[in-house]
Amino acid sequence: MASLMEDEVFRSFAKYAAIVTVKLLLMGPLTAYYRITRKAFANSEDAAVHSAKPDDKKRLVRTDEDVERARRCHQNDLESIVPFVLIGFLYALTGPDPSWALLHFRIFTGSRLFHTVAYMMALPQPSRGLSWIVGLLTSLSMAHSVVHSVIFH
């Protein structure tokens, strides 16, 4: 593994994969923060911890727009970042041009960071949709490169 970290492309991939993975991991605590501050829980046992009155449990098991927004953003990250990490790893192993690889990694990372801002701040569409499609196209571009490399080398 140490020899992989000597490769410029793989080091770049590791850095940007770590950034988006940390961003993905932080969405769970953000959702929990919204659940606690909005007193909107998914389960009665969670509501019971935050309620002094037994009857409040039913009132606290509810949906909240901010909680759901964070949850959906987290779900979207799972659907986008996990494939990026898998495809990006394979892409880095194919020995791509370092400048092209860095461009792919940076564009994907920027698109996911912007996607989160657009989602959580409820920016008008098509901002969120465009940031999602940019990330998707970037991952597909890397996947194409991997398939091309495997078929023709």
Side-chain angles (χ1 to χ4, degrees):
M1 190 61 108
S3 62
L4 273 179
M5 291 309 280
E6 293 171 10
D7 179 70
E8 177 184 359
V9 171
F10 193 81
R11 274 195 325 274
S12 294
F13 165 70
K15 177 172 76 173
Y16 288 101
I19 290 169
V20 295
T21 301
V22 167
K23 181 241 161 308
L24 168 65
L25 290 171
L26 291 175
M27 291 307 298
L30 181 65
T31 304
Y33 167 79
Y34 281 121
R35 284 197 184 284
I36 292 166
T37 59
R38 306 310 193 263
K39 295 200 180 293
F41 302 99
N43 305 300
S44 59
E45 64 272 18
D46 300 333
V49 172
H50 296 278
S51 172
K53 303 174 189 172
D55 293 341
D56 278 352
K57 283 193 299 187
K58 289 181 182 173
R59 185 180 57 82
L60 297 180
V61 176
R62 63 185 182 87
T63 60
D64 175 84
E65 183 179 341
D66 293 331
V67 173
E68 291 305 306
R69 185 171 288 281
R71 252 183 19 80
R72 288 189 307 268
C73 186
H74 191 187
Q75 180 66 37
N76 193 279
D77 277 351
L78 287 167
E79 295 167 0
S80 298
I81 292 172
V82 172
F84 165 78
V85 170
L86 295 171
I87 292 165
F89 178 76
L90 296 173
Y91 176 68
L93 293 177
T94 65
D97 176 80
S99 60
W100 274 108
L102 187 58
L103 184 65
H104 278 94
F105 303 151
R106 284 179 174 169
I107 288 173
F108 181 85
T109 301
S111 75
R112 292 315 303 171
L113 294 173
F114 183 78
H115 181 271
T116 299
V117 170
Y119 218 135
M120 297 311 300
M121 296 182 71
L123 297 181
Q125 283 285 35
S127 58
R128 188 179 79 243
L130 289 174
S131 63
W132 173 80
I133 196 75
V134 165
L136 175 65
L137 292 174
T138 303
S139 290
L140 289 173
S141 173
M142 289 188 299
H144 175 270
S145 181
V146 169
V147 170
H148 186 270
S149 177
V150 169
I151 291 173
F152 295 107
H153 287 105

